[in-house]
Amino acid sequence: MNGIAVDPEFAALIPPLTFDERTQLENNVLAEGIREPLTVWQGILLDGHNRYALAQKHGLQYATREAAVADRNAARKWIINNQLGRRNLSPTAASYLRGKLYEAEKKAEGRPEKLAQNDLVSGPTAQRMATATGVSEATIKRDAAFAVAVDAIAETVGEEARSEILSRDAKVTKQEVVALGKTATAEPAKARAAWEQLKSKPDEDDAPKAHVANNSGDNEWYTPPEYITAARQVMGGIDLDPASSETANATVCAATYYTAEDNGLTKQWAGCVWMNPPYAQPLVQEFAEKLVADLPNITQAIVLVNNATETRWFQALAGACAAICFPAGRVRFWAPDKVSAPLQGQAVLYFGDDAPAFTQAFAGFGVVVIRA
């Protein structure tokens, strides 16, 4: 077991684990040891930062393997691509990593070491990355701006800011991060004060509320078939259900569906999408953000969620949709051996170019509002 170096820049590319993830990892390595070798390049750690920290803490043995990379920028790209393959990666962390990968690709082309926040992100590199990562070129542009902003904030405020922004329970939105990143570059003192305000703002999910928007329990509730029939009437079929199961898909009959084990958040979404996401936080927010981010690749989408209009995730969906149906009564979801109506009402949101068809199909459930 040889000593290895932790490079601060490379370590910053590793998205933080949640408390539960850290606890589970620690329990695993204490019970079974560090089974997978840590990946290094010229003695610098590329993969296994959390396991290495636990090895240092508990005096555990570990093995290493050398990554076949040519130089520092290639090592940087290796880390990013490896992290993008993580199944538990949050949409915010994925956005940051895609932005950093764009920066690394530009460095490989001989561009400046750092991109300015107002640099134009376009051309062959952005197009190539969009194809490789399964998102649109517009998403790559937003990711690049977001990554530059995160780095500017971390440089001005402190490294802990990066971890807080990329954590699953972050209080700040991507829009707030991009705006603060510009301030961090121009007015560092003002940015530090603004960051403290953002950190201390109330969490919309802290206060107890009597509805399932804050549910942390059973996510296995399935859509009544009449809503699926209406969705098929609008879209002509369902190509993808990114938050499903074998039982649920017996009703939805999507051509492709992703289970919790598949982790649809890490997949490419395209075609006609039906989504009844998990209602527990942070999953409902992550699925909402993923849908909005992938809209350039999606032909049409219909989403069934709680009408939690006060939440950021609902506002993000409502701001991007073409029409919304507010059912007259609470939807009676089902699961094997049980049927239940949640503690609040629901909303069905439509994304696409045929709001009249959506209105015709869903007007029987309740009021339909078409966004101007």
Side-chain angles (χ1 to χ4, degrees):
M1 180 174 68
N2 299 319
I4 54 182
V6 176
D7 184 284
E9 182 198 353
F10 289 172
L13 296 172
I14 310 300
L17 298 179
T18 65
F19 175 81
D20 288 343
E21 288 169 340
R22 285 195 302 272
T23 301
Q24 184 63 57
L25 178 61
E26 186 164 19
N27 290 339
N28 289 347
V29 299
L30 288 175
E32 304 172 9
I34 299 178
R35 297 183 299 176
E36 289 293 319
L38 310 182
T39 304
V40 299
W41 168 69
Q42 297 184 358
I44 300 173
L45 187 60
L46 301 188
D47 182 52
H49 290 74
N50 294 298
R51 286 173 288 145
Y52 180 67
L54 291 171
Q56 298 297 101
K57 177 181 177 180
H58 296 289
L60 302 175
Q61 298 289 315
Y62 59 85
T64 63
R65 60 186 170 204
E66 185 76 13
V69 295
D71 53 31
R72 185 175 180 86
N73 194 49
R76 185 184 292 116
K77 290 164 62 177
W78 187 96
I79 295 171
I80 296 169
N81 282 311
N82 185 59
Q83 290 300 313
L84 282 170
R86 280 176 49 180
R87 293 178 58 188
N88 61 341
L89 195 65
S90 72
T92 302
S95 175
Y96 175 74
L97 289 170
R98 287 192 300 264
K100 294 299 292 182
L101 184 59
Y102 175 83
E103 184 177 299
E105 292 285 356
K106 284 299 186 185
K107 288 176 182 176
E109 296 172 3
R111 297 294 185 91
E113 273 295 299
K114 281 191 175 182
L115 295 175
Q117 195 159 14
N118 60 352
D119 276 356
L120 180 63
V121 181
S122 61
T125 302
Q127 294 166 4
R128 184 174 66 252
M129 278 194 56
T131 301
T133 57
V135 299
S136 69
E137 188 175 348
T139 297
I140 296 297
K141 295 178 182 180
R142 291 191 293 268
D143 293 339
F146 177 65
V148 170
V150 171
D151 290 346
I153 294 169
E155 186 173 336
T156 301
V157 175
E159 191 58 39
E160 71 280 358
R162 191 195 320 271
S163 295
E164 292 192 40
I165 291 169
L166 300 182
S167 68
R168 286 181 177 272
D169 55 355
K171 292 183 178 181
V172 293
T173 66
K174 291 175 71 174
Q175 292 81 1
E176 289 170 334
V177 169
V178 172
L180 184 58
K182 295 176 181 178
T183 305
T185 302
E187 302 176 83
K190 184 177 178 180
R192 284 189 283 270
W195 172 250
E196 291 302 319
Q197 288 183 336
L198 285 174
K199 284 201 306 179
S200 61
K201 74 178 182 178
D203 191 330
E204 65 190 19
D205 300 308
D206 282 345
K209 304 181 181 73
H211 59 65
V212 187
N214 296 277
N215 176 34
S216 60
D218 189 358
N219 282 317
E220 293 299 320
W221 290 98
Y222 308 133
T223 308
E226 58 267 27
Y227 283 85
I228 301 300
T229 299
R232 288 184 167 278
Q233 181 181 333
V234 178
M235 299 190 293
I238 298 174
D239 298 315
L240 173 66
D241 183 346
S244 189
S245 68
E246 183 177 358
T247 301
N249 200 55
T251 299
V252 177
C253 297
T256 300
Y257 68 94
Y258 299 133
T259 66
E261 290 73 25
D262 297 325
N263 190 0
L265 293 170
T266 66
K267 309 295 185 181
Q268 180 178 359
W269 297 6
C272 294
V273 177
W274 163 265
M275 185 171 77
N276 172 17
Y279 285 1
Q281 284 284 25
L283 288 174
V284 64
Q285 179 168 327
E286 292 172 350
F287 273 91
E289 290 176 349
K290 171 69 171 173
L291 181 93
V292 173
D294 280 12
L295 280 176
N297 307 318
I298 292 172
T299 307
Q300 297 181 88
I302 296 178
V303 178
L304 172 60
V305 290
N306 286 321
N307 60 4
T309 56
E310 78 283 9
T311 61
R312 289 193 298 270
W313 61 262
F314 188 93
Q315 288 296 314
L317 290 173
C321 74
I324 308 176
C325 172
F326 294 97
R330 287 177 290 175
V331 175
R332 293 186 63 80
F333 295 95
W334 68 277
D337 303 321
K338 55 184 176 180
V339 176
S340 177
L343 298 175
Q344 73 171 104
Q346 284 67 53
V348 185
L349 298 94
Y350 171 72
F351 304 79
D353 297 328
D354 201 350
F358 176 79
T359 301
Q360 182 178 3
F362 280 85
F365 296 110
V367 173
V368 176
V369 178
I370 298 179
R371 295 187 66 243

